[in-house]
Amino acid sequence: MRWTVPRSLGRWALWLSLLVLLVCMVGTLVWLAGRYEVSQVENRMAEDASDAVSDIRNGLTRNVQSLQALQFAGQSAAPWEQEAASLLREHREWLRLEWRDVQLQLKSEVDTPFRSAAFSHMGTMFQMPEVVQACSVAQRQSGPGYSASTYVPQANGQGLEVMNLCLPVLNNGELVGFTVATYALNEILINFLNAQLLRSQEVSFTEADGTRLAMHGAVQRGARVFTAKQLLTLPGNTMVLRLDSWRAAPDLFPNVLTALVTMMAIALAGVMGLLARDMRRRQRVESDLADALAFRKAMEDSLVTGLRARDNQGRITYINPAFCEMVGFTSKELLGHGIPAPYWPPEMVDEYGKRQALRLAGNAPPREGVESVFMRKNGERFTVLIFEAPLINATGQQTGWMSAVLDVSEQRRIEELSRASQERLQATARLATVGEMASLLSHELNQPLAAIASYATGSMNLLHEATVTDPQLASSLNDAMQRIGQQAERAGKVIKSVHDFVRRRDQSRVEVAPRTLLDNVMPLVALQARKLGVRVEVRCASDLPHVLCDRTMVEQVLLNLSRNAMQAMQDDTPYKTLTLLVRTAPTIPSQQWMEFVVADQGHGIAEDLAEKLFTPFFTTKEEGMGLGLSLCRTVVEQHGGVLQHSPNPPRGTVFSFTLPQA
Ligand code: ADP
């Protein structure tokens, strides 16, 4: 959550600046549109003003022509007055017409019939200076001259702004008098200007300083006023014609352009609003998604099952921490890795490659999973159970395979242990049976053996008494009989020892010289050695310390080891020598021990067999029982000694066991 604050702030700032920009843009557009409209109005008004000025000028010029016509009406007062009166009826803008002589003395005058005499209140002399001014201009210009305007108060309390026009009267090029016409300024506006113009705006004459002289036109309609001014220059007088136009205060929608712009702005604001809402919705979805993702990640990280996803080309696209831990590779090393995967044992690459090809061809793996062997980074192999399922993406297409991988090596180890102990149990049961059998046999064989021994003795006695012709033959027969008796006795002893051993009776331990032990087994060893073509080498000093042991059983051990050694050399061994050696064991402290060594040059013992050698019933021979070594070890261990074996370079095996010194 730490990063949310500045991020959302930034987002708000962005939205705010977008809004400000939008408002500025729309404001500028509206203002420009307004400005455009104002300038349009102003242009139109400037045109109107100049049109109005030219209208007035034309009117004035036409009036000058009418007055010039009046001058030809005659030199006497009566026809002039008649003519003047008719002119005044046609021209409402004129208040009065005067005929003056060269000295400006009034010769004749006629007032307009449309209003009561304008000057009745103030008298005509009231505006004499203006008449003089106008006529002096007219005289100077030999044409129409105008006076400045004058305010003439009226009897009803109101007033009139008037202006005089003076026209020189020439007779054969000689000045003979003046015609003076008095204009009412507001009548000029009424009569000379286009009614259309007056309908929508107010027209007025002003002085240069803005003082309003006369005005006419529409009443004020609206708050906003547009003004246009135009100079009206007349000989002797200059006035300003001013047009005022009112508009209903700055229109919100002055024209189509502004309306369009405003509508677009509103639409834009609407779209922005929608966008903002969409954005908010997206943000909500985004945060929901982030939550879901975090949840999923926590779940995957806490799993002990390894997860692995591969694409359709077999490249690894995803692995969880449990998988990395299982195989010992980092996710960096695994991600994107194709076939063969680094955790495939090299010897399995071919088989796994084929399995992979099958999978990619669309063959679904069995639901109950596939057992496989993987290799950790350190080379250790371990058994895994893999469950695979197709990986389907959002559009329903298969993009690869998802696998759950279980490390079952520990489980397998336990199964193996239990199997081994089961086997041991069975072996023990069989051993027990063998023991029973041995007891039974020893019991059953004792009597025939005793019978053999006594028959042998009887035969020897009879041989003594009988007359023997050949003393040499008699001695040989006697020897043979003696041997038969000895071996029958020995067989009886063996049977008794085995019987005792199986019954776990206390064995009778006796002190015996090692040499004696060897000598006792020698006849039987030599017999077999002769048969197998083996040379027997015995190395045993006669002064060695005695050992404390059950002699029959130890002799049996020596016999067993020798027989195994000779059988190992049976085949293609070049030098068949069996070495029997007795020495004091140097390495074992606290008690003095003797070591018996049986060495051969046979085929040796393969490494994988070494562990099983002492297991009861383990044998590699066709008629073997697999009980010899097991029995030997038990016998030696019952004496407190150790039976072990090691290679005998360059060829063969050395078996050795220790026995306590007496
Ligand atoms: P058996 O002699 O009946 O097979 P043992 O317990 O005496 O049973 O021997 C078990 C196995 O140990 C033999 O089958 C043989 O493979 C192996 N073995 C014993 N001694 C030797 C030896 N000196 N050299 C090579 N292999 C031996």
Side-chain angles (χ1 to χ4, degrees):
M1 281 315 268
R2 230 179 325 125
W3 44 265
T4 321
V5 174
R7 218 190 201 193
S8 69
L9 251 183
R11 198 152 43 215
W12 277 115
L14 266 177
W15 275 107
L16 201 74
S17 48
L18 186 63
L19 200 76
V20 167
L21 272 175
L22 197 74
V23 167
C24 286
M25 193 189 79
V26 170
T28 312
L29 277 175
V30 170
W31 180 74
L32 279 176
R35 280 281 320 151
Y36 176 72
E37 193 231 12
V38 167
S39 75
Q40 287 288 90
V41 171
E42 280 174 352
N43 284 347
R44 212 163 44 241
M45 285 189 68
E47 269 173 34
D48 283 353
S50 73
D51 284 354
V53 164
S54 68
D55 281 353
I56 291 171
R57 209 187 286 283
N58 289 342
L60 289 176
T61 310
R62 273 199 310 278
N63 280 5
V64 167
Q65 287 164 356
S66 305
L67 282 183
Q68 278 167 345
L70 175 66
Q71 284 170 355
F72 298 110
Q75 294 299 318
S76 58
W80 185 91
E81 279 173 10
Q82 199 181 351
E83 191 65 24
S86 88
L87 269 181
L88 279 171
R89 267 195 299 278
E90 288 166 22
H91 295 273
R92 279 173 165 266
E93 64 274 18
W94 282 330
L95 292 178
R96 160 193 179 83
L97 291 174
E98 292 172 348
W99 182 11
R100 290 178 186 267
D101 64 9
V102 181
Q103 275 74 43
L104 292 177
Q105 293 304 315
L106 192 64
K107 283 172 76 177
S108 188
E109 58 178 333
V110 182
D111 279 308
T112 179
F114 298 113
R115 50 173 89 217
S116 55
F119 301 100
S120 56
H121 183 59
M122 300 298 289
T124 46
M125 286 311 286
F126 162 74
Q127 55 152 0
M128 206 49 215
E130 278 73 31
V131 173
V132 172
Q133 184 210 346
C135 289
S136 69
V137 172
Q139 196 174 357
R140 232 181 300 126
Q141 305 244 331
S142 304
Y146 293 85
S147 72
S149 67
T150 341
Y151 182 73
V152 183
Q154 296 294 293
N156 59 6
Q158 292 181 329
L160 262 179
E161 194 72 29
V162 302
M163 176 182 74
N164 292 304
L165 158 69
C166 184
L167 198 66
V169 182
L170 300 173
N171 195 357
N172 296 328
E174 196 185 328
L175 181 74
V176 291
F178 296 97
T179 310
V180 176
T182 307
Y183 277 105
L185 286 187
N186 64 332
E187 290 295 335
I188 293 179
L189 296 177
I190 293 166
N191 291 300
F192 288 175
L193 292 183
N194 192 341
Q196 194 69 31
L197 185 78
L198 294 171
R199 194 175 306 151
S200 59
Q201 34 212 342
E202 188 184 84
V203 191
S204 54
F205 281 121
T206 65
E207 287 192 49
D209 63 359
T211 315
R212 209 184 291 260
L213 302 173
M215 64 178 185
H216 185 73
V219 284
Q220 187 172 331
R221 285 182 306 201
R224 193 161 185 199
V225 60
F226 294 91
T227 302
K229 290 177 183 167
Q230 191 77 33
L231 271 183
L232 173 63
T233 317
L234 300 168
N237 189 6
T238 300
M239 282 182 300
V240 177
L241 182 78
R242 173 175 161 157
L243 255 66
D244 287 297
S245 171
W246 280 274
R247 295 273 150 152
D251 285 344
L252 191 57
F253 302 103
N255 55 25
V256 178
L257 178 68
T258 317
L260 216 68
V261 164
T262 312
M263 257 165 56
M264 268 159 49
I266 289 169
L268 209 65
V271 169
M272 237 170 84
L274 284 177
L275 221 68
R277 209 177 62 178
D278 181 62
M279 196 83 153
R280 252 203 322 276
R281 213 174 285 162
R282 263 164 202 276
Q283 268 169 16
R284 215 171 25 239
V285 172
E286 220 173 68
S287 94
D288 284 355
L289 217 67
D291 280 351
L293 219 69
F295 177 74
R296 206 192 78 170
K297 181 143 178 45
M299 209 166 70
E300 287 165 4
D301 289 355
S302 66
L303 272 183
V304 286
T305 311
L307 292 180
R308 170 195 68 181
R310 288 183 296 184
D311 64 12
N312 284 326
Q313 280 72 48
R315 272 190 303 265
I316 299 173
T317 52
Y318 166 81
I319 35 165
N320 74 341
F323 188 84
C324 292
E325 208 174 306
M326 209 181 278
V327 295
F329 287 96
T330 62
S331 60
K332 222 178 183 177
E333 288 168 303
L334 292 178
L335 281 179
H337 206 294
I339 300 169
Y343 47 78
W344 285 6
E347 66 275 13
M348 310 289 257
V349 165
D350 281 348
E351 187 191 329
Y352 289 4
K354 277 182 210 149
R355 205 163 71 189
Q356 185 74 11
L358 260 176
R359 182 95 61 269
L360 296 184
N363 289 16
R367 234 9 246 152
E368 64 276 8
V370 176
E371 200 167 294
S372 201
V373 174
F374 276 3
M375 183 179 72
R376 295 191 218 279
K377 199 177 183 180
N378 61 14
E380 185 192 336
R381 308 320 198 237
F382 64 106
T383 315
V384 289
L385 198 59
I386 307 175
F387 301 91
E388 281 195 289
L391 201 63
I392 309 292
N393 72 1
T395 57
Q397 269 176 328
Q398 181 178 351
T399 56
W401 293 90
M402 183 80 203
S403 328
V405 182
L406 275 177
D407 181 353
V408 290
S409 52
E410 184 61 15
Q411 202 178 323
R412 291 289 172 274
R413 201 179 63 81
I414 291 167
E415 277 170 17
E416 179 60 31
L417 270 182
S418 101
R419 196 184 56 76
S421 74
Q422 195 70 30
E423 261 176 24
R424 259 203 308 279
L425 240 132
Q426 284 172 4
T428 314
R430 273 191 285 167
L431 256 187
T433 319
V434 170
E436 295 285 322
M437 260 166 57
S439 310
L440 207 74
L441 277 178
S442 62
H443 184 258
E444 297 300 322
L445 286 180
N446 254 340
Q447 280 169 1
L449 277 174
I452 291 172
S454 69
Y455 281 133
T457 316
S459 300
M460 279 194 302
N461 289 340
L462 282 177
L463 211 61
H464 266 297
E465 288 161 19
T467 39
V468 178
T469 48
D470 187 351
Q472 184 74 33
L473 178 73
S475 152
S476 299
L477 266 173
N478 193 36
D479 249 16
M481 289 295 175
Q482 221 166 359
R483 291 258 170 100
I484 290 172
Q486 273 172 8
Q487 287 309 321
E489 200 180 326
R490 188 183 144 67
K493 277 184 191 165
V494 168
I495 286 170
K496 185 177 178 300
S497 286
V498 171
H499 183 80
D500 289 347
F501 174 75
V502 172
R503 295 268 155 196
R504 300 260 160 195
R505 295 225 184 93
D506 277 346
Q507 284 94 25
S508 48
R509 302 270 166 97
V510 288
E511 279 185 31
V512 58
R515 180 86 218 189
T516 315
L517 290 171
L518 289 184
D519 286 347
N520 282 344
V521 296
M522 225 35 223
L524 288 175
V525 171
L527 206 70
Q528 199 165 12
R530 239 194 333 270
K531 226 164 83 186
L532 297 175
V534 174
R535 197 170 67 86
V536 183
E537 192 181 313
V538 181
R539 280 189 261 152
C540 178
S542 51
D543 55 347
L544 282 175
H546 287 197
V547 288
L548 191 63
C549 65
D550 178 336
R551 4 184 332 183
T552 325
M553 289 315 284
V554 171
E555 280 167 17
Q556 213 50 40
V557 169
L558 277 170
L559 253 177
N560 254 324
L561 294 181
S562 304
R563 197 184 55 228
N564 276 346
M566 286 185 287
Q567 282 173 346
M569 293 188 288
Q570 206 169 337
D571 306 325
D572 49 353
T573 309
Y575 315 105
K576 300 183 180 178
T577 306
L578 167 72
T579 311
L580 297 172
L581 163 71
V582 186
R583 60 187 176 200
T584 35
T587 46
I588 310 164
S590 81
Q591 201 182 349
Q592 296 295 308
W593 295 83
M594 293 306 292
E595 188 182 28
F596 291 74
V597 178
V598 180
D600 66 65
Q601 285 147 346
H603 50 65
I605 296 167
E607 220 169 279
D608 53 330
L609 296 184
E611 284 173 18
K612 307 178 198 160
L613 280 191
F614 298 102
T615 317
F617 304 110
F618 172 80
T619 180
T620 57
K621 299 167 195 165
E622 257 171 48
E623 313 89 36
M625 275 273 279
L627 281 174
L629 283 180
S630 152
L631 191 83
C632 290
R633 188 161 72 171
T634 316
V635 169
V636 172
E637 282 175 0
Q638 271 179 359
H639 286 84
V642 186
L643 171 64
Q644 54 198 6
H645 66 90
S646 58
N648 183 23
R651 214 185 130 84
T653 317
V654 179
F655 274 88
S656 66
F657 62 92
T658 50
L659 288 176
Q661 284 184 17

